[in-house]
Amino acid sequence: MEFSDDRDNDLYQKVGSLEFTNTNYSIFLIKVGDEKNIAMKKILSNGFKPMDNAQDRFVKGEFYITFTFTDQRIIESIQIAFADKDLRSRSY
């Protein structure tokens, strides 16, 4: 889990991103251990779009979901992040 320390961020001092590898957790019914093709269908059906033609990172508004896959195309981890649209052009 990461917390924002930027006072201008909409999520200041709140969770801005988290990553999990535990199979007990899911997002849109996508869990660690799922096959890549199943995860892709579910994430796309929830309105997310591939980011920069990537097959592991998806965006919807200010939210990003990134999958890490094993060589066998199985989800190894899932990261969910918030990127404040007002701060995207800022360099830290």
Side-chain angles (χ1 to χ4, degrees):
M1 258 187 300
E2 292 184 18
F3 294 83
S4 173
D5 60 358
D6 185 334
R7 291 183 185 275
D8 294 330
N9 192 310
D10 289 344
L11 293 180
Y12 174 64
Q13 293 187 332
K14 297 178 182 164
V15 175
S17 71
L18 64 93
E19 184 173 359
F20 58 92
T21 58
N22 189 322
T23 59
N24 291 327
Y25 302 105
S26 66
I27 183 157
F28 305 122
L29 302 175
I30 303 167
K31 300 188 330 184
V32 170
D34 284 351
E35 293 180 13
K36 182 178 181 176
N37 61 340
I38 293 170
M40 297 303 101
K41 289 177 186 175
K42 289 179 181 178
I43 197 75
L44 295 172
S45 72
N46 278 283
F48 280 78
K49 305 288 182 204
M51 186 171 178
D52 301 325
N53 295 320
Q55 298 218 354
D56 61 349
R57 191 165 190 202
F58 298 83
V59 63
K60 181 177 180 182
E62 296 178 300
F63 293 93
Y64 295 84
I65 297 177
T66 304
F67 301 107
T68 304
F69 297 100
T70 66
D71 292 339
Q72 293 78 31
R73 301 170 51 98
I74 302 296
I75 296 175
E76 191 170 55
S77 70
I78 300 172
Q79 181 184 42
I80 305 162
F82 173 82
D84 191 323
K85 68 181 179 313
D86 298 327
L87 304 178
R88 287 187 186 161
S89 62
R90 185 184 289 187
S91 296
Y92 291 91

